[in-house]
Structure formats: structure tokens, C-alpha cells
Amino acid sequence: MNRSSPGTSKSKVSLALAKAIDGFLKFKTAEGLSQRTITSYEFTLGHWLKYIGDREVSDIQSSDLTGYMAWLRTEYKPRRWNGSSEPLSAKSIRNVWVTFRSFFGWLQVEFKFPNPAKEITAPKFQKHPVETFSKEDVEKILKACVYSRESQTEERKKFVMRRPSSNRDQAIVLMLLDTGLRATELCSLIINDVDLKTGKVTIRHGVAGGAKGGKGRTVYLGKVARKAVWRYLASREDGDDPDAPLFISHADRAFNKDSLRVLINRLGDRAEIKKAFPHKFRHTFAITYLRSGGDVFTLQSLLGHGSLDMVRHYAQIAEVDVEQAHRKASPADNMRL
């Protein structure tokens, strides 16, 4: 690296894009960003590097960024696991812009390079409406946790069977509903993180806790959810091991966000509910909390949001019914098992 001579006003640091990207990823990892964010940065910047070629950072102009984003909108054909090649969404394009802002902002601070991303206006995108489960939806999902679909045969009467994972699945659903945890946060929980006497659930700081930005926090379970978790752990051989994963799959492995998504999706199918996914429970928790008299600042803390932006969005949705709410309530306590 050749640094500029004393007295020059403009940086003349020689730095190739590939090396800069590698340094950026290492810096952000050391800063404590979640693995999901690091992976997203790595994919986006790596894809851009292949498109533009390994050039000097000092040669990059705003047009190099806008040209790439325009190509993503018009010509790029994504390759997805489900075979779809539909164009990237406006939200995905905005995420590319966010990555550029972070990358070139870091280069500006660390090496005094001009920031070409500063001159680019944030791409607009239409936010998807916040979808929540109704009380009836949750009751159907909880029932789907317990019983298989009705079997029909010519020789026997219709019948249903109790599912072997019913206790676990009910505990997962009720915990998501009662805490508003993100998928990665729930999957990162160990048994020691949950105090079934008080209902206190600790989301650990750092990568191990699965929290966005590595910021831990405390949330709480209601009585019904605590009972469900206790019943599930009582059936496990390692239910008293404080370091064991709180929820495990049939292969005795900790859940991850993908396996959790598959589970909730299948429960939704059995319950005949469209669009069942883990984050929908987070939305349901937030709206229910506000409609039950909760305040936005406490909700911000419970959800682990760094700002009030999303919480204000929830408040706008809940405002219609806020005046009718007289007290806080645990959403799970209103469910029938």
C-alpha cells in the first residue's frame, strides 16, 4: 500500500477492490455484526466485483454503482433454489445500495477515499403490509401441532393421529407468539436461557445469541407458554442440561432458521392458513402488545429494535383498536390448548 506524501489534499492510497472487500468483511466481523449480515455483504460485494472487475478503489465512480444497480433491475437473471428467475425485487435493489453505503463509508473513514455511494439517492420500494395471525389462526395452528390431517380410507372410519412432536411444536409456536423473537434468536436459545419460574428469557449478546447486531435483551413468557415449554423439556433426556439447545429437530440437532421456517410453513398447511412463517408471529406479538395497552418504548426494547421506525409502523396499524384495550395481556394466555 502506497500512502500519499505529506501535504497532499487527496488520498493516493493504492488499494484493489478485492483486498478492500476482504478488509471490510473482516472489520465488520470483528465489530460484532451478525453472520447473516456478513454473509449478505460478502455475497453482494462479491457479485459486484465479478461484474465490474478488480480495479483500484480510487477509480470507482458513482456511475459504476448506478450502472450495476440498473443492470440488476433490467438484465440480471437470479438463480434461486426454487428455480425462479424473476427479477430482483425493489427491496433487494435497496439492500445493494445499503451495502454500497456501508462499504464506501468504511473506506472513507479508514482510508479517506471519496464516497461515490453518497451521491446516490436511496432506491424506492413499496413496503409489504404487515401481516398477522388472528386468534382463530393461532388456535388452528396449535391444533395442527397436535393432530395429523384426517385420514380417509374405504375400509375404516376417518381418524386423526397425535403427532410425536406435538409438545415441541406447541412450545415453539407459543414462545414465538409470546416473545416476538426473531427466528435466529429462537434457534440460538439454550435451556439455561429460559427461567420457567419467572418466564424470563435471555437473548445473549454477540453472535451466539442470534440477535440482530449482536445486541442481547430480555423478554418474557406467559404462564401458558411456560407450561408448554416445561412439558416439552420434561419429555427430553437432556431436558436438565443447561447447555443443550432449547429446541431440537428429529435428528437431535438445534433448529436453524430454515428448518424453523419449514416447520411453521407445514403447520400452516395443515391448519389451512396461507402465508404461515416465523416472522408473522413477531408481527402478531407487536400488534397484540400495543392493542393490549403496551407502550411503544417498551415494545422497542422487547423487539430489540435500534430505532422507533418499525415500532411506529406497528403503532399506526394498532391505533384503531388501542382505545379499546384496558390492560396488557400475554397473547398465549388467551389461547385454548
Side-chain angles (χ1 to χ4, degrees):
M1 225 180 260
N2 299 317
R3 296 198 175 271
S4 57
S5 58
T8 55
S9 58
K10 187 176 180 180
S11 171
K12 295 186 183 298
V13 176
S14 176
L15 182 61
L17 267 178
K19 191 169 185 178
I21 291 171
D22 181 63
F24 170 73
L25 295 174
K26 288 177 178 175
F27 181 90
K28 290 299 179 181
T29 300
E31 202 176 50
L33 267 64
S34 70
Q35 186 56 50
R36 182 178 180 181
T37 300
I38 298 298
T39 301
S40 176
Y41 282 160
E42 184 175 17
F43 176 82
T44 300
L45 293 172
H47 193 270
W48 175 60
L49 179 64
K50 288 181 181 178
Y51 174 85
I52 200 172
D54 194 10
R55 296 157 48 179
E56 287 291 317
V57 170
S58 57
D59 293 337
I60 302 299
Q61 306 294 321
S62 296
S63 58
D64 294 313
L65 309 186
T66 54
Y68 173 69
M69 291 164 67
W71 174 75
L72 289 176
R73 286 183 186 277
T74 58
E75 299 181 44
Y76 175 56
K77 302 294 183 183
R79 294 181 181 178
R80 299 183 176 90
W81 64 271
N82 61 0
S84 171
S85 60
E86 291 187 5
L88 293 179
S89 66
K91 178 66 164 62
S92 295
I93 302 296
R94 185 184 176 92
N95 288 341
V96 171
W97 172 81
V98 169
T99 299
F100 282 151
R101 293 273 292 189
S102 182
F103 175 58
F104 285 102
W106 173 76
L107 284 170
Q108 185 177 36
V109 171
E110 292 296 316
F111 301 100
K112 310 304 179 187
F113 281 114
N115 186 346
K118 257 187 177 180
E119 303 172 23
I120 304 175
T121 304
K124 295 181 179 179
F125 72 98
Q126 187 174 6
K127 290 184 178 180
H128 294 293
V130 171
E131 297 179 284
T132 61
F133 292 112
S134 67
K135 181 180 178 181
E136 291 72 23
D137 288 340
V138 175
E139 290 176 346
K140 288 179 181 178
I141 291 174
L142 288 172
K143 185 176 180 180
C145 291
V146 181
Y147 300 107
S148 63
R149 282 181 173 170
E150 189 175 66
S151 298
Q152 299 184 25
T153 64
E154 294 180 359
E155 300 178 358
R156 298 178 59 183
K157 292 182 179 180
K158 298 177 182 179
F159 67 94
V160 294
M161 296 180 63
R162 187 176 181 90
R163 299 175 60 249
S165 62
S166 60
N167 287 345
R168 181 202 66 187
D169 295 350
Q170 280 199 331
I172 287 175
V173 168
L174 291 170
M175 176 166 274
L176 287 172
L177 181 69
D178 241 21
T179 61
L181 291 179
R182 299 179 178 94
T184 50
E185 293 170 344
L186 180 126
C187 295
S188 299
L189 290 173
I190 59 176
I191 292 175
N192 195 49
D193 292 331
V194 182
D195 186 338
L196 294 179
K197 292 182 179 179
T198 63
K200 181 179 177 181
V201 179
T202 303
I203 312 301
R204 284 164 286 139
H205 293 277
V207 176
K212 194 172 183 179
K215 299 176 182 177
R217 65 187 188 283
T218 300
V219 294
Y220 294 90
L221 290 175
K223 293 179 181 178
V224 171
R226 274 185 268 168
K227 181 179 178 181
V229 174
W230 178 87
R231 188 167 53 214
Y232 163 60
L233 292 178
S235 66
R236 275 177 47 184
E237 292 183 4
D238 62 347
D240 293 326
D241 181 356
D243 296 320
L246 182 63
F247 296 111
I248 56 175
S249 66
H250 294 299
D252 291 337
R253 296 177 181 173
F255 268 82
N256 58 46
K257 63 183 181 67
D258 293 323
S259 55
L260 179 63
R261 175 181 54 79
V262 170
L263 170 65
I264 300 301
N265 184 259
R266 287 176 177 172
L267 290 174
D269 285 344
R270 276 198 291 272
E272 298 182 343
I273 295 171
K274 295 180 179 180
K275 297 182 180 180
F277 49 90
H279 212 73
K280 196 169 181 178
F281 285 101
R282 184 170 167 87
H283 296 326
T284 303
F285 163 78
I287 299 300
T288 303
Y289 181 84
L290 291 174
R291 287 176 175 171
S292 299
D295 68 273
V296 293
F297 297 104
T298 303
L299 179 61
Q300 179 188 3
S301 175
L302 291 172
L303 292 176
H305 282 306
S307 72
L308 279 171
D309 291 345
M310 189 62 198
V311 178
R312 288 195 186 99
H313 189 44
Y314 287 136
Q316 290 173 355
I317 298 170
E319 192 172 5
V320 175
D321 297 327
V322 158
E323 293 181 2
Q324 300 175 17
H326 300 291
R327 63 182 180 84
K328 294 181 182 180
S330 162
D333 283 351
N334 293 320
M335 296 299 126
R336 295 194 300 272
L337 297 185

